[in-house]
Amino acid sequence: MGEESASAGGAAVTLRSLLAFEDGHALRLLCAPAAPGTVVRRIAVGLDDLRPGQEGVLLLAVGAAPVAGTVREAARRGACAVVLGEADEGLVPAARDAGVALLARAEGTGWAEAAALLRSALSYVGAGRVEDAGPPPDPEAAPSLAVLAARVAAYVKGSITIEDTRLRVLAHSATGPGADALRRTVILGGRVPDWRVAELRRSGLLRALWTSPDVIHRPADGDSPERLVVAVRSGREVLGSIWAAADGAALAPDAARHLRTAAGLAAPLLVRERLRESGTAHRREAALRGLLHGLGDLRTHAWSLGLSPDAPCAVVVAERRPAGRSQDRSLDVLVLEISALRPGTGVLRDGDRLALLLAGEGAAADHERAVRAVVRDLDAAVSSLPDAAAVWLGVGPVVVPEEAAWSHERAGLVVRALREREARALAAGRPRPLRSSDAAGVGASLEVLRLLDAVRPVWESGAGPVHDLVRADLAGGGELVRTLAVWFETGHDVTEAARRLLVHPNTLRYRLGRVRERYGVDLDDPDSRLLLALAVRLAAPPAS
């Protein structure tokens, strides 16, 4: 039989908070509910367990036929969500029409396991032990961090806060009578306020924190007391930070030493805090990946990320030049910067590339301006890093969540255009162009790349003199292809092309003569010249 929700005496339990409790391996969300804040009050097992007049029932469809009629009947009897024995995408339209969520057991998960998981989640979340968008906390983690904060405060003779990389307060020591107003604001708000984050960024302290291995000292300034801060790391990964503030008196002379020791002790506790959030992170990453690549049910992905259907969104792609140095941290710093600038930004990392989904509210034009400001800040952050690899930032258009894949595609094309422009500028001895832009900033280059991508399969399946030339020359080192590329780029200017190639103009003329004599390609014929120009641009594999 079904069981009543613990929410009767505690917090309201939404479907999103219920799903955040588990790690995404037992239940699969096929279709989001019509109402984003759908409340679950009870779990029912089988259609016969649905009681007339009730609402907010999550039905485990045990023994029911997996047909559209089952979904519609469950909705009629008050179900807000239906869990199927196995995934059936064909029932999604019926669920949408009925306004209910549709889930399925993962392979290898039995009904008893699914029921036990959901009942535990309903009891746990309803008791108020977990926020709507967060997973259940590890009961050991927060007290341990709090004890550490109290002990360190006693050693350094000041006040302590332990924060994650999003500048949320995970633990703090007791607040004394001499605590400054900023510390009280941070503790009461549960995170560093936006104005303070902006100040830390402007002063360079935040960037120094994420990149420096040692304790950073900030002297007293007006009403702001002396502060020490150190990053908590696991290897090269930054997990958070520990802040010490003078609390009515000077910090202990050896406070920095105690803070360094505390950072080492805090690392495993913050790793545990990260693991506590892994269930929600797993679901968010799967939803974000689906949304950015246009895979699966896009409305359901947007719902899982907490996005309203008409929220303005834009995708920013950041791509690092392959560093060849394992210590390059440019993308790591970008992730930390965006976490501080806009908490909640969707971040997807694949090798040397980041995709950022920035969602907002209000008009698209306002969000577009906000995104441009964020990109300027990110560009400034990574440009200031010493010896960091080059990073290009491409901005996609503002769209609704279901069109995020298009914004992602355009942002990626902008990055490719920026990279190619920089390569051409360097080859021509011109100043390096900007490394961040939107589609308007790269002009026709964007459409040229789209056309090249479209024509590539046609070229690769073709044959003839131009194909023979390109394939044979690339097999021999590609000297002729590189020569033609520069010749086309300079508008057939032999003198300028020879200068860029560091050869005599007669050498260049000789190479062009070989195109006709050896391969029979007439450079005076406009069709042959057009095909050869395309072939040269397509000679290298497309950038992903």
Side-chain angles (χ1 to χ4, degrees):
M1 297 294 290
E3 296 189 9
E4 296 301 327
S5 165
S7 63
V13 180
T14 67
L15 181 61
R16 187 177 284 116
S17 64
L18 206 61
L19 293 179
F21 183 90
E22 70 105 3
D23 60 7
H25 295 295
L27 295 173
R28 177 185 167 198
L29 181 64
L30 304 178
C31 169
T38 297
V39 173
V40 178
R41 294 184 172 86
R42 192 172 76 88
I43 295 173
V45 180
L47 280 169
D48 293 340
D49 194 23
L50 291 174
R51 303 170 189 172
Q54 284 202 335
E55 294 182 350
V57 182
L58 187 150
L59 171 67
L60 302 178
V62 179
V67 295
T70 299
V71 175
R72 285 193 286 267
E73 180 62 17
R76 190 184 67 81
R77 297 191 194 183
C80 64
V82 178
V83 181
L84 304 173
E86 58 184 37
D88 188 344
E89 303 283 353
L91 297 183
V92 168
R96 288 207 189 284
D97 291 343
V100 300
L102 193 64
L103 301 96
R105 290 181 302 153
E107 185 176 354
T109 302
W111 280 119
E113 182 183 352
L117 171 71
L118 288 168
R119 285 168 178 157
S120 297
L122 198 61
S123 173
Y124 200 101
V125 178
R129 297 188 180 98
V130 62
E131 296 178 357
D132 180 42
D138 183 327
E140 301 276 339
S144 296
L145 284 171
V147 168
L148 178 64
R151 289 177 179 172
V152 177
Y155 284 119
V156 304
K157 309 300 183 186
S159 298
I160 294 292
T161 55
I162 301 176
E163 302 168 7
D164 63 10
T165 54
R166 288 183 278 176
L167 303 183
R168 298 179 304 174
V169 176
L170 303 178
H172 61 87
S173 61
T175 302
D180 61 296
L182 175 61
R183 172 175 163 78
R184 295 179 184 277
T185 300
V186 169
I187 291 173
L188 288 173
R191 61 166 286 115
V192 179
D194 292 342
W195 64 265
R196 173 64 169 173
V197 175
E199 177 189 286
L200 294 174
R201 292 183 59 258
R202 283 195 301 269
S203 68
L205 189 144
L206 198 58
R207 193 171 308 133
L209 172 62
W210 302 140
T211 56
S212 172
D214 208 351
V215 176
I216 297 172
H217 177 250
R218 182 160 183 157
D221 182 16
D223 294 334
S224 179
E226 175 189 18
R227 277 180 166 81
L228 296 175
V229 57
V230 65
V232 179
R233 287 181 166 82
S234 176
R236 290 177 51 241
E237 181 183 10
V238 179
L239 303 172
S241 56
I242 303 178
W243 295 73
D247 196 355
L251 294 171
D254 57 353
R257 178 173 64 84
H258 291 302
L259 219 56
R260 278 191 290 271
T261 301
L265 296 173
L269 302 179
L270 289 180
V271 168
R272 193 187 306 174
E273 186 73 16
R274 285 273 183 95
L275 292 175
R276 183 183 71 80
E277 296 185 345
S278 63
T280 297
H282 173 82
R283 285 191 177 277
R284 283 184 62 85
E285 181 177 340
L288 181 60
R289 190 175 295 277
L291 207 59
L292 293 183
H293 293 282
L295 304 173
D297 190 299
L298 303 181
R299 279 182 287 183
T300 296
H301 294 329
W303 180 88
S304 296
L305 294 169
L307 302 175
S308 63
D310 56 352
C313 298
V315 178
V316 175
V317 169
E319 187 171 303
R320 176 182 66 183
R321 177 182 291 137
R325 301 191 308 274
S326 60
Q327 299 302 313
D328 184 81
R329 300 190 59 246
S330 50
L331 294 189
D332 298 333
V333 170
L334 280 185
V335 172
L336 294 169
E337 283 284 320
I338 196 67
S339 298
L341 280 170
R342 293 180 69 91
T345 295
V347 179
L348 191 64
R349 181 165 184 174
D350 289 307
D352 290 319
R353 169 179 284 205
L354 286 177
L356 311 174
L357 177 64
L358 282 75
E361 299 176 352
D366 293 336
H367 188 55
E368 187 175 346
R369 285 191 289 270
V371 170
R372 283 201 296 266
V374 168
V375 170
R376 284 195 298 271
D377 288 337
L378 295 179
D379 191 23
V382 75
S383 298
S384 67
L385 294 175
D387 301 322
V391 175
W392 296 275
L393 292 157
V395 185
V398 174
V399 295
V400 295
E402 289 185 47
E403 297 172 352
W406 182 63
S407 184
H408 182 216
E409 177 193 5
R410 304 287 281 192
L413 286 171
V414 171
V415 165
R416 286 172 57 187
L418 290 172
R419 281 178 15 217
E420 290 194 5
R421 282 191 170 191
E422 180 169 308
R424 288 197 292 269
L426 292 176
R430 298 193 301 270
R432 176 179 282 120
L434 294 175
R435 285 185 173 151
S436 64
S437 179
D438 56 12
V442 295
S445 299
L446 199 71
E447 294 309 310
V448 169
L449 289 173
R450 291 184 65 242
L451 290 170
L452 289 173
D453 287 345
V455 80
R456 184 177 296 278
V458 178
W459 159 256
E460 291 178 346
S461 64
V466 173
H467 291 77
D468 295 340
L469 182 158
V470 172
R471 289 166 183 163
D473 185 66
L474 290 178
E479 179 186 79
L480 198 53
V481 167
R482 286 192 296 274
T483 298
L484 287 166
V486 176
W487 183 65
F488 282 125
E489 188 177 316
T490 57
H492 311 156
D493 186 330
V494 171
T495 302
E496 175 61 17
R499 185 190 68 80
R500 294 193 193 181
L501 290 165
L502 303 178
V503 300
H504 193 278
N506 288 339
T507 302
L508 180 59
R509 293 187 183 96
Y510 168 74
R511 291 179 184 177
L512 295 176
R514 287 169 54 201
V515 172
R516 182 195 301 269
E517 294 165 8
R518 180 175 295 185
Y519 299 101
V521 177
D522 184 3
L523 290 177
D524 294 326
D525 176 62
D527 289 340
S528 297
R529 198 163 56 240
L530 174 60
L531 182 59
L532 190 57
L534 285 171
V536 167
R537 288 291 298 269
L538 292 168
S544 58

